[in-house]
C-alpha cells in the first residue's frame, strides 16, 4: 500500500497492491514549512494508519536535515524527530528512511535543485550561503536502495540514512547549474550555512551491488537526465 501521490509515492508504485508493506509518502516535504496544522495532519494520518495496520511493515520517510546544524532547530526537523519517536513507540515492524534531497521529475519548487533552477532561469535575485552544503541523490538510486532493503528485510525496526556519501557545497551546485543551462545566476553570497554529516557506511554493500558511482560526474549527469537542454 502506498499513501501519497507525490514524487516519492510514484517511485514506489510497485507497492500499491502490497498489503504487507505500507509506504507512507504523504508527509510534510517542504523543509521551510512552519505550518503546525500541516504537521498535525501528518501525525493524525500516521496515527490512523497505525490503528489499523499493526503487524504490517510501516515505511516512514524522515529527513537527513536532522544532521544539519543550521536546520536542527527548524520546525520541520523537530516535527520529523517527533514523528520518528512516535512511530518507534507505537508501531512494529517499521523502517524509517532518513532521506537526503532527491532529484527527480517533480513540479515541487521547494526542492533544493528546483529552487536554484527556477531562480537562475527566471533571473530572480537569490542568496547563496557560503558555508552551506547539500546532499543530493537520484530518486531512482534512492528507490533501488530502499527497495532492496525492503525486499531483503534489512534494518527492520531501525533508522537508515539514504544519502549520497558526499555533500556538495551550495556554491558548487549553483555553478554546476549555471554551466548546465549556460546561464548566469543573479545572486549574492553571504557568510552563512552549515553542512549535514551523514553516515552512509551501512549502504556501502548496496552502492557496490547496484554500481552507484558518486563520482565527479554524478551531479552533472543527473542534470542531463532530468533537465535536458
Amino acid at each position: 500500500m502506498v499513501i501519497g501521490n507525490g514524487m516519492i509515492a510514484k517511485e514506489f508504485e510497485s507497492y500499491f497492491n502490497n498489503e504487507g508493506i505500507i509506504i507512507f509518502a504523504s508527509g510534510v516535504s517542504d523543509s521551510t514549512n512552519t505550518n503546525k496544522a500541516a504537521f498535525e495532519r501528518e501525525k493524525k494520518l500516521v496515527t490512523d494508519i497505525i490503528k489499523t495496520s499493526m503487524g504490517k511493515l510501516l515505511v516512514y520517510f524522515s529527513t537527513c536535515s536532522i544532521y544539519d546544524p543550521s536546520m536542527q532547530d527548524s520546525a520541520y526537523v523537530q516535527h520529523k524527530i517527533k514523528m520518528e519517536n512516535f512511530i518507534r513507540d507505537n508501531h512494529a515492524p517499521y523502517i524509517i528512511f532518513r532521506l537526503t534531497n532527491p532529484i527527480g521529475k517533480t513540479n515541487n519548487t521547494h526542492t533544493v535543485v528546483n529552487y536554484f533552477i527556477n531562480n537562475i532561469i527566471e533571473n530572480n535575485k537569490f542568496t547563496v550561503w557560503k558555508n552551506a552544503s547539500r546532499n543530493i541523490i537520484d530518486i531512482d538510486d534512492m528507490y533501488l536502495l530502499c527497495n532492496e532493503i525492503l525486499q531483503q528485510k534489512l534494518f527492520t525496526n531501525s533508522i537508515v540514512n539514504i544519502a549520497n556519501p558526499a555533500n556538495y557545497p551550495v556554491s558548487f551546485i549553483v555553478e554546476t547549474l549555471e554551466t548546465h543551462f549556460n546561464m548566469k545566476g543573479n545572486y549574492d553570497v553571504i557568510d552563512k550555512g552549515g553542512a549535514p554529516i551523514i553516515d552512509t557506511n551501512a549502504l556501502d554493500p548496496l552502492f557496490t551491488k547496484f554500481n552507484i558511482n558518486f563520482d565527479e560526474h554524478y551531479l552533472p549527469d543527473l542534470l542531463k537526465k532530468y533537465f535536458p537542454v
Side-chain angles (χ1 to χ4, degrees), residues 96-138:
I96 295 171
F97 290 127
R98 285 182 177 170
L99 297 186
T100 185
N101 299 288
I103 289 186
K105 293 180 180 178
T106 176
N107 294 321
N108 182 357
T109 58
H110 297 292
T111 67
V112 170
V113 172
N114 280 2
Y115 169 79
F116 289 126
I117 288 175
N118 291 339
N119 282 321
I120 290 171
I121 291 178
E122 296 175 10
N123 196 34
N124 294 331
K125 186 82 171 184
F126 63 99
T127 300
V128 171
W129 290 9
K130 179 181 178 180
N131 307 315
S133 292
R134 292 293 176 261
N135 192 285
I136 291 171
I137 194 169
D138 186 342

mmCIF file of all heavy atoms in Angstrom, residues 96-138:
data_model
loop_
_atom_site.group_PDB
_atom_site.id
_atom_site.type_symbol
_atom_site.label_atom_id
_atom_site.label_comp_id
_atom_site.label_asym_id
_atom_site.label_seq_id
_atom_site.Cartn_x
_atom_site.Cartn_y
_atom_site.Cartn_z
ATOM 1 N N ILE A 96 12.399 3.443 9.213
ATOM 2 C CA ILE A 96 12.419 4.882 8.978
ATOM 3 C C ILE A 96 13.595 5.195 8.071
ATOM 4 O O ILE A 96 14.749 4.937 8.422
ATOM 5 C CB ILE A 96 12.529 5.671 10.303
ATOM 6 C CG1 ILE A 96 11.267 5.450 11.155
ATOM 7 C CG2 ILE A 96 12.738 7.159 10.025
ATOM 8 C CD1 ILE A 96 11.368 6.003 12.551
ATOM 9 N N PHE A 97 13.288 5.701 6.879
ATOM 10 C CA PHE A 97 14.331 6.122 5.954
ATOM 11 C C PHE A 97 14.552 7.626 6.117
ATOM 12 O O PHE A 97 13.641 8.415 5.856
ATOM 13 C CB PHE A 97 13.935 5.828 4.506
ATOM 14 C CG PHE A 97 13.916 4.378 4.148
ATOM 15 C CD1 PHE A 97 12.791 3.806 3.569
ATOM 16 C CD2 PHE A 97 15.029 3.574 4.366
ATOM 17 C CE1 PHE A 97 12.768 2.466 3.218
ATOM 18 C CE2 PHE A 97 15.015 2.220 4.022
ATOM 19 C CZ PHE A 97 13.885 1.669 3.452
ATOM 20 N N ARG A 98 15.719 8.000 6.571
ATOM 21 C CA ARG A 98 16.071 9.414 6.585
ATOM 22 C C ARG A 98 16.630 9.757 5.213
ATOM 23 O O ARG A 98 17.727 9.341 4.853
ATOM 24 C CB ARG A 98 17.089 9.712 7.681
ATOM 25 C CG ARG A 98 16.477 9.727 9.082
ATOM 26 C CD ARG A 98 17.510 10.077 10.141
ATOM 27 N NE ARG A 98 16.890 10.146 11.464
ATOM 28 C CZ ARG A 98 17.565 10.244 12.600
ATOM 29 N NH1 ARG A 98 18.895 10.281 12.582
ATOM 30 N NH2 ARG A 98 16.934 10.297 13.765
ATOM 31 N N LEU A 99 15.858 10.514 4.456
ATOM 32 C CA LEU A 99 16.217 10.815 3.070
ATOM 33 C C LEU A 99 16.979 12.120 2.963
ATOM 34 O O LEU A 99 16.714 13.083 3.693
ATOM 35 C CB LEU A 99 14.970 10.911 2.197
ATOM 36 C CG LEU A 99 14.104 9.665 2.039
ATOM 37 C CD1 LEU A 99 13.009 9.940 1.016
ATOM 38 C CD2 LEU A 99 14.929 8.452 1.644
ATOM 39 N N THR A 100 17.899 12.150 2.016
ATOM 40 C CA THR A 100 18.537 13.386 1.619
ATOM 41 C C THR A 100 17.669 14.056 0.553
ATOM 42 O O THR A 100 16.505 13.702 0.388
ATOM 43 C CB THR A 100 19.952 13.089 1.097
ATOM 44 O OG1 THR A 100 20.608 14.328 0.827
ATOM 45 C CG2 THR A 100 19.909 12.248 -0.168
ATOM 46 N N ASN A 101 18.234 14.980 -0.201
ATOM 47 C CA ASN A 101 17.481 15.709 -1.229
ATOM 48 C C ASN A 101 17.458 14.917 -2.533
ATOM 49 O O ASN A 101 18.478 14.818 -3.221
ATOM 50 C CB ASN A 101 18.138 17.070 -1.488
ATOM 51 C CG ASN A 101 18.161 17.949 -0.263
ATOM 52 O OD1 ASN A 101 17.139 18.462 0.167
ATOM 53 N ND2 ASN A 101 19.345 18.111 0.317
ATOM 54 N N PRO A 102 16.297 14.337 -2.896
ATOM 55 C CA PRO A 102 16.243 13.563 -4.142
ATOM 56 C C PRO A 102 16.012 14.458 -5.350
ATOM 57 O O PRO A 102 15.281 15.446 -5.284
ATOM 58 C CB PRO A 102 15.029 12.648 -3.926
ATOM 59 C CG PRO A 102 14.134 13.425 -3.010
ATOM 60 C CD PRO A 102 15.031 14.258 -2.141
ATOM 61 N N ILE A 103 16.663 14.104 -6.458
ATOM 62 C CA ILE A 103 16.412 14.765 -7.735
ATOM 63 C C ILE A 103 15.583 13.818 -8.590
ATOM 64 O O ILE A 103 15.910 12.640 -8.726
ATOM 65 C CB ILE A 103 17.711 15.107 -8.472
ATOM 66 C CG1 ILE A 103 18.440 16.244 -7.783
ATOM 67 C CG2 ILE A 103 17.428 15.495 -9.914
ATOM 68 C CD1 ILE A 103 19.667 16.731 -8.535
ATOM 69 N N GLY A 104 14.498 14.334 -9.134
ATOM 70 C CA GLY A 104 13.637 13.541 -9.998
ATOM 71 C C GLY A 104 12.686 14.447 -10.749
ATOM 72 O O GLY A 104 12.819 15.677 -10.721
ATOM 73 N N LYS A 105 11.720 13.849 -11.397
ATOM 74 C CA LYS A 105 10.726 14.623 -12.141
ATOM 75 C C LYS A 105 9.635 15.064 -11.181
ATOM 76 O O LYS A 105 8.850 14.257 -10.696
ATOM 77 C CB LYS A 105 10.134 13.782 -13.270
ATOM 78 C CG LYS A 105 11.147 13.441 -14.362
ATOM 79 C CD LYS A 105 10.522 12.601 -15.462
ATOM 80 C CE LYS A 105 11.556 12.269 -16.539
ATOM 81 N NZ LYS A 105 10.979 11.419 -17.606
ATOM 82 N N THR A 106 9.604 16.341 -10.880
ATOM 83 C CA THR A 106 8.615 16.868 -9.953
ATOM 84 C C THR A 106 8.371 18.341 -10.239
ATOM 85 O O THR A 106 9.269 19.055 -10.712
ATOM 86 C CB THR A 106 9.086 16.704 -8.491
ATOM 87 O OG1 THR A 106 8.129 17.316 -7.607
ATOM 88 C CG2 THR A 106 10.451 17.359 -8.265
ATOM 89 N N ASN A 107 7.166 18.783 -9.941
ATOM 90 C CA ASN A 107 6.830 20.198 -10.064
ATOM 91 C C ASN A 107 7.001 20.937 -8.740
ATOM 92 O O ASN A 107 6.678 22.120 -8.637
ATOM 93 C CB ASN A 107 5.378 20.350 -10.544
ATOM 94 C CG ASN A 107 5.184 19.831 -11.956
ATOM 95 O OD1 ASN A 107 6.044 20.010 -12.817
ATOM 96 N ND2 ASN A 107 4.050 19.177 -12.204
ATOM 97 N N ASN A 108 7.524 20.229 -7.748
ATOM 98 C CA ASN A 108 7.727 20.830 -6.431
ATOM 99 C C ASN A 108 8.870 21.842 -6.496
ATOM 100 O O ASN A 108 10.028 21.481 -6.688
ATOM 101 C CB ASN A 108 8.046 19.730 -5.409
ATOM 102 C CG ASN A 108 8.217 20.277 -3.999
ATOM 103 O OD1 ASN A 108 8.157 21.481 -3.759
ATOM 104 N ND2 ASN A 108 8.445 19.380 -3.054
ATOM 105 N N THR A 109 8.543 23.111 -6.339
ATOM 106 C CA THR A 109 9.556 24.167 -6.438
ATOM 107 C C THR A 109 10.377 24.307 -5.163
ATOM 108 O O THR A 109 11.312 25.107 -5.117
ATOM 109 C CB THR A 109 8.884 25.519 -6.750
ATOM 110 O OG1 THR A 109 7.933 25.832 -5.714
ATOM 111 C CG2 THR A 109 8.176 25.474 -8.091
ATOM 112 N N HIS A 110 10.029 23.548 -4.120
ATOM 113 C CA HIS A 110 10.726 23.684 -2.840
ATOM 114 C C HIS A 110 11.948 22.774 -2.735
ATOM 115 O O HIS A 110 12.673 22.841 -1.747
ATOM 116 C CB HIS A 110 9.764 23.391 -1.682
ATOM 117 C CG HIS A 110 8.619 24.354 -1.589
ATOM 118 N ND1 HIS A 110 8.793 25.673 -1.250
ATOM 119 C CD2 HIS A 110 7.283 24.189 -1.793
ATOM 120 C CE1 HIS A 110 7.616 26.282 -1.242
ATOM 121 N NE2 HIS A 110 6.692 25.401 -1.574
ATOM 122 N N THR A 111 12.168 21.889 -3.719
ATOM 123 C CA THR A 111 13.370 21.064 -3.667
ATOM 124 C C THR A 111 14.590 21.953 -3.883
ATOM 125 O O THR A 111 14.504 23.014 -4.510
ATOM 126 C CB THR A 111 13.346 19.963 -4.735
ATOM 127 O OG1 THR A 111 13.428 20.560 -6.033
ATOM 128 C CG2 THR A 111 12.084 19.112 -4.632
ATOM 129 N N VAL A 112 15.725 21.532 -3.348
ATOM 130 C CA VAL A 112 16.940 22.344 -3.422
ATOM 131 C C VAL A 112 17.286 22.706 -4.865
ATOM 132 O O VAL A 112 17.490 23.876 -5.201
ATOM 133 C CB VAL A 112 18.122 21.590 -2.770
ATOM 134 C CG1 VAL A 112 19.432 22.311 -3.060
ATOM 135 C CG2 VAL A 112 17.915 21.478 -1.276
ATOM 136 N N VAL A 113 17.346 21.701 -5.718
ATOM 137 C CA VAL A 113 17.763 21.929 -7.103
ATOM 138 C C VAL A 113 16.733 22.755 -7.865
ATOM 139 O O VAL A 113 17.087 23.695 -8.592
ATOM 140 C CB VAL A 113 18.037 20.592 -7.817
ATOM 141 C CG1 VAL A 113 18.272 20.806 -9.312
ATOM 142 C CG2 VAL A 113 19.258 19.911 -7.198
ATOM 143 N N ASN A 114 15.447 22.430 -7.699
ATOM 144 C CA ASN A 114 14.411 23.185 -8.411
ATOM 145 C C ASN A 114 14.390 24.649 -7.988
ATOM 146 O O ASN A 114 14.131 25.542 -8.809
ATOM 147 C CB ASN A 114 13.038 22.554 -8.180
ATOM 148 C CG ASN A 114 12.801 21.351 -9.067
ATOM 149 O OD1 ASN A 114 13.677 20.969 -9.831
ATOM 150 N ND2 ASN A 114 11.629 20.754 -8.978
ATOM 151 N N TYR A 115 14.663 24.900 -6.717
ATOM 152 C CA TYR A 115 14.698 26.281 -6.231
ATOM 153 C C TYR A 115 15.750 27.086 -6.984
ATOM 154 O O TYR A 115 15.481 28.191 -7.482
ATOM 155 C CB TYR A 115 14.986 26.295 -4.731
ATOM 156 C CG TYR A 115 15.299 27.666 -4.170
ATOM 157 C CD1 TYR A 115 14.278 28.576 -3.894
ATOM 158 C CD2 TYR A 115 16.623 28.064 -3.940
ATOM 159 C CE1 TYR A 115 14.572 29.844 -3.392
ATOM 160 C CE2 TYR A 115 16.923 29.317 -3.446
ATOM 161 C CZ TYR A 115 15.888 30.204 -3.171
ATOM 162 O OH TYR A 115 16.172 31.451 -2.679
ATOM 163 N N PHE A 116 16.942 26.544 -7.084
ATOM 164 C CA PHE A 116 18.015 27.259 -7.770
ATOM 165 C C PHE A 116 17.779 27.335 -9.272
ATOM 166 O O PHE A 116 18.038 28.369 -9.901
ATOM 167 C CB PHE A 116 19.364 26.601 -7.474
ATOM 168 C CG PHE A 116 19.844 26.799 -6.071
ATOM 169 C CD1 PHE A 116 20.188 25.713 -5.271
ATOM 170 C CD2 PHE A 116 19.949 28.075 -5.529
ATOM 171 C CE1 PHE A 116 20.622 25.903 -3.978
ATOM 172 C CE2 PHE A 116 20.392 28.269 -4.227
ATOM 173 C CZ PHE A 116 20.730 27.177 -3.445
ATOM 174 N N ILE A 117 17.268 26.253 -9.849
ATOM 175 C CA ILE A 117 16.992 26.258 -11.290
ATOM 176 C C ILE A 117 15.989 27.351 -11.647
ATOM 177 O O ILE A 117 16.199 28.126 -12.591
ATOM 178 C CB ILE A 117 16.477 24.879 -11.748
ATOM 179 C CG1 ILE A 117 17.608 23.856 -11.750
ATOM 180 C CG2 ILE A 117 15.859 24.970 -13.148
ATOM 181 C CD1 ILE A 117 17.157 22.443 -12.082
ATOM 182 N N ASN A 118 14.891 27.403 -10.909
ATOM 183 C CA ASN A 118 13.856 28.397 -11.204
ATOM 184 C C ASN A 118 14.393 29.818 -11.091
ATOM 185 O O ASN A 118 14.096 30.682 -11.938
ATOM 186 C CB ASN A 118 12.662 28.218 -10.261
ATOM 187 C CG ASN A 118 11.890 26.940 -10.549
ATOM 188 O OD1 ASN A 118 11.978 26.390 -11.643
ATOM 189 N ND2 ASN A 118 11.150 26.450 -9.578
ATOM 190 N N ASN A 119 15.210 30.068 -10.075
ATOM 191 C CA ASN A 119 15.744 31.422 -9.898
ATOM 192 C C ASN A 119 16.749 31.779 -10.990
ATOM 193 O O ASN A 119 16.786 32.922 -11.459
ATOM 194 C CB ASN A 119 16.401 31.549 -8.518
ATOM 195 C CG ASN A 119 15.382 31.719 -7.413
ATOM 196 O OD1 ASN A 119 14.393 32.413 -7.578
ATOM 197 N ND2 ASN A 119 15.619 31.081 -6.290
ATOM 198 N N ILE A 120 17.548 30.806 -11.390
ATOM 199 C CA ILE A 120 18.527 31.074 -12.456
ATOM 200 C C ILE A 120 17.821 31.336 -13.782
ATOM 201 O O ILE A 120 18.104 32.323 -14.480
ATOM 202 C CB ILE A 120 19.518 29.899 -12.592
ATOM 203 C CG1 ILE A 120 20.448 29.840 -11.373
ATOM 204 C CG2 ILE A 120 20.344 30.030 -13.872
ATOM 205 C CD1 ILE A 120 21.312 28.596 -11.313
ATOM 206 N N ILE A 121 16.870 30.472 -14.140
ATOM 207 C CA ILE A 121 16.182 30.599 -15.428
ATOM 208 C C ILE A 121 15.341 31.870 -15.491
ATOM 209 O O ILE A 121 15.286 32.549 -16.523
ATOM 210 C CB ILE A 121 15.307 29.353 -15.679
ATOM 211 C CG1 ILE A 121 16.199 28.134 -15.935
ATOM 212 C CG2 ILE A 121 14.362 29.573 -16.861
ATOM 213 C CD1 ILE A 121 15.439 26.843 -16.135
ATOM 214 N N GLU A 122 14.701 32.218 -14.369
ATOM 215 C CA GLU A 122 13.832 33.400 -14.351
ATOM 216 C C GLU A 122 14.581 34.675 -13.971
ATOM 217 O O GLU A 122 13.981 35.746 -13.859
ATOM 218 C CB GLU A 122 12.676 33.156 -13.383
ATOM 219 C CG GLU A 122 11.766 32.010 -13.813
ATOM 220 C CD GLU A 122 10.687 31.696 -12.788
ATOM 221 O OE1 GLU A 122 10.532 32.502 -11.838
ATOM 222 O OE2 GLU A 122 10.015 30.656 -12.938
ATOM 223 N N ASN A 123 15.898 34.546 -13.767
ATOM 224 C CA ASN A 123 16.752 35.684 -13.405
ATOM 225 C C ASN A 123 16.283 36.379 -12.132
ATOM 226 O O ASN A 123 16.367 37.606 -11.996
ATOM 227 C CB ASN A 123 16.834 36.700 -14.563
ATOM 228 C CG ASN A 123 17.995 37.667 -14.396
ATOM 229 O OD1 ASN A 123 19.049 37.304 -13.877
ATOM 230 N ND2 ASN A 123 17.796 38.907 -14.818
ATOM 231 N N ASN A 124 15.785 35.575 -11.204
ATOM 232 C CA ASN A 124 15.386 36.124 -9.912
ATOM 233 C C ASN A 124 16.602 36.294 -9.015
ATOM 234 O O ASN A 124 17.537 35.497 -9.056
ATOM 235 C CB ASN A 124 14.397 35.183 -9.211
ATOM 236 C CG ASN A 124 13.081 35.085 -9.951
ATOM 237 O OD1 ASN A 124 12.662 36.020 -10.627
ATOM 238 N ND2 ASN A 124 12.424 33.943 -9.827
ATOM 239 N N LYS A 125 16.574 37.312 -8.189
ATOM 240 C CA LYS A 125 17.649 37.520 -7.222
ATOM 241 C C LYS A 125 17.522 36.498 -6.106
ATOM 242 O O LYS A 125 16.433 36.279 -5.566
ATOM 243 C CB LYS A 125 17.555 38.929 -6.639
ATOM 244 C CG LYS A 125 18.717 39.304 -5.735
ATOM 245 C CD LYS A 125 19.921 39.755 -6.522
ATOM 246 C CE LYS A 125 20.987 40.344 -5.615
ATOM 247 N NZ LYS A 125 22.127 40.872 -6.362
ATOM 248 N N PHE A 126 18.615 35.813 -5.771
ATOM 249 C CA PHE A 126 18.577 34.875 -4.655
ATOM 250 C C PHE A 126 19.902 34.910 -3.905
ATOM 251 O O PHE A 126 20.856 35.595 -4.319
ATOM 252 C CB PHE A 126 18.256 33.453 -5.142
ATOM 253 C CG PHE A 126 19.262 32.826 -6.066
ATOM 254 C CD1 PHE A 126 20.221 31.927 -5.595
ATOM 255 C CD2 PHE A 126 19.250 33.100 -7.438
ATOM 256 C CE1 PHE A 126 21.134 31.335 -6.443
ATOM 257 C CE2 PHE A 126 20.163 32.499 -8.295
ATOM 258 C CZ PHE A 126 21.113 31.625 -7.799
ATOM 259 N N THR A 127 19.945 34.201 -2.802
ATOM 260 C CA THR A 127 21.110 34.222 -1.921
ATOM 261 C C THR A 127 21.758 32.853 -1.867
ATOM 262 O O THR A 127 21.075 31.837 -1.795
ATOM 263 C CB THR A 127 20.696 34.643 -0.493
ATOM 264 O OG1 THR A 127 20.106 35.945 -0.537
ATOM 265 C CG2 THR A 127 21.902 34.663 0.430
ATOM 266 N N VAL A 128 23.075 32.826 -1.913
ATOM 267 C CA VAL A 128 23.848 31.596 -1.756
ATOM 268 C C VAL A 128 24.583 31.654 -0.425
ATOM 269 O O VAL A 128 25.307 32.618 -0.161
ATOM 270 C CB VAL A 128 24.855 31.427 -2.914
ATOM 271 C CG1 VAL A 128 25.807 30.254 -2.624
ATOM 272 C CG2 VAL A 128 24.131 31.197 -4.227
ATOM 273 N N TRP A 129 24.362 30.639 0.395
ATOM 274 C CA TRP A 129 25.049 30.575 1.687
ATOM 275 C C TRP A 129 26.449 30.005 1.478
ATOM 276 O O TRP A 129 26.613 28.845 1.060
ATOM 277 C CB TRP A 129 24.263 29.714 2.660
ATOM 278 C CG TRP A 129 22.976 30.344 3.113
ATOM 279 C CD1 TRP A 129 22.389 31.465 2.622
ATOM 280 C CD2 TRP A 129 22.116 29.868 4.152
ATOM 281 N NE1 TRP A 129 21.214 31.718 3.271
ATOM 282 C CE2 TRP A 129 21.024 30.750 4.225
ATOM 283 C CE3 TRP A 129 22.163 28.772 5.023
ATOM 284 C CZ2 TRP A 129 19.983 30.586 5.137
ATOM 285 C CZ3 TRP A 129 21.127 28.598 5.929
ATOM 286 C CH2 TRP A 129 20.057 29.505 5.993
ATOM 287 N N LYS A 130 27.442 30.790 1.788
ATOM 288 C CA LYS A 130 28.840 30.446 1.528
ATOM 289 C C LYS A 130 29.265 29.141 2.191
ATOM 290 O O LYS A 130 30.031 28.353 1.619
ATOM 291 C CB LYS A 130 29.730 31.594 2.006
ATOM 292 C CG LYS A 130 31.217 31.369 1.822
ATOM 293 C CD LYS A 130 32.007 32.566 2.345
ATOM 294 C CE LYS A 130 33.507 32.348 2.216
ATOM 295 N NZ LYS A 130 34.265 33.527 2.745
ATOM 296 N N ASN A 131 28.801 28.896 3.398
ATOM 297 C CA ASN A 131 29.255 27.739 4.174
ATOM 298 C C ASN A 131 28.298 26.555 4.121
ATOM 299 O O ASN A 131 28.502 25.563 4.831
ATOM 300 C CB ASN A 131 29.461 28.143 5.637
ATOM 301 C CG ASN A 131 30.371 29.350 5.772
ATOM 302 O OD1 ASN A 131 31.410 29.411 5.120
ATOM 303 N ND2 ASN A 131 29.982 30.309 6.594
ATOM 304 N N ALA A 132 27.259 26.659 3.297
ATOM 305 C CA ALA A 132 26.243 25.610 3.245
ATOM 306 C C ALA A 132 26.609 24.532 2.234
ATOM 307 O O ALA A 132 27.145 24.816 1.160
ATOM 308 C CB ALA A 132 24.886 26.211 2.888
ATOM 309 N N SER A 133 26.312 23.305 2.589
ATOM 310 C CA SER A 133 26.418 22.174 1.668
ATOM 311 C C SER A 133 25.117 21.402 1.680
ATOM 312 O O SER A 133 24.414 21.390 2.709
ATOM 313 C CB SER A 133 27.566 21.244 2.067
ATOM 314 O OG SER A 133 28.815 21.856 1.889
ATOM 315 N N ARG A 134 24.811 20.767 0.575
ATOM 316 C CA ARG A 134 23.595 19.969 0.491
ATOM 317 C C ARG A 134 23.940 18.598 -0.082
ATOM 318 O O ARG A 134 24.845 18.446 -0.888
ATOM 319 C CB ARG A 134 22.533 20.663 -0.377
ATOM 320 C CG ARG A 134 21.980 21.931 0.259
ATOM 321 C CD ARG A 134 21.185 21.626 1.497
ATOM 322 N NE ARG A 134 20.703 22.823 2.189
ATOM 323 C CZ ARG A 134 21.280 23.377 3.245
ATOM 324 N NH1 ARG A 134 22.415 22.854 3.716
ATOM 325 N NH2 ARG A 134 20.768 24.437 3.831
ATOM 326 N N ASN A 135 23.184 17.613 0.339
ATOM 327 C CA ASN A 135 23.394 16.235 -0.086
ATOM 328 C C ASN A 135 22.310 15.876 -1.092
ATOM 329 O O ASN A 135 21.122 16.075 -0.821
ATOM 330 C CB ASN A 135 23.337 15.309 1.127
ATOM 331 C CG ASN A 135 23.824 13.922 0.824
ATOM 332 O OD1 ASN A 135 23.131 13.137 0.185
ATOM 333 N ND2 ASN A 135 25.017 13.598 1.296
ATOM 334 N N ILE A 136 22.706 15.355 -2.248
ATOM 335 C CA ILE A 136 21.774 15.129 -3.356
ATOM 336 C C ILE A 136 21.906 13.696 -3.860
ATOM 337 O O ILE A 136 23.020 13.168 -3.977
ATOM 338 C CB ILE A 136 22.050 16.127 -4.499
ATOM 339 C CG1 ILE A 136 21.671 17.552 -4.057
ATOM 340 C CG2 ILE A 136 21.288 15.742 -5.761
ATOM 341 C CD1 ILE A 136 22.093 18.624 -5.029
ATOM 342 N N ILE A 137 20.765 13.088 -4.170
ATOM 343 C CA ILE A 137 20.774 11.729 -4.716
ATOM 344 C C ILE A 137 19.682 11.597 -5.780
ATOM 345 O O ILE A 137 18.628 12.245 -5.685
ATOM 346 C CB ILE A 137 20.564 10.686 -3.591
ATOM 347 C CG1 ILE A 137 20.914 9.270 -4.065
ATOM 348 C CG2 ILE A 137 19.138 10.746 -3.048
ATOM 349 C CD1 ILE A 137 20.981 8.245 -2.951
ATOM 350 N N ASP A 138 19.951 10.801 -6.786
ATOM 351 C CA ASP A 138 18.959 10.487 -7.811
ATOM 352 C C ASP A 138 17.819 9.709 -7.158
ATOM 353 O O ASP A 138 18.052 8.753 -6.420
ATOM 354 C CB ASP A 138 19.628 9.638 -8.895
ATOM 355 C CG ASP A 138 18.742 9.365 -10.093
ATOM 356 O OD1 ASP A 138 17.506 9.524 -9.998
ATOM 357 O OD2 ASP A 138 19.295 8.959 -11.136
#
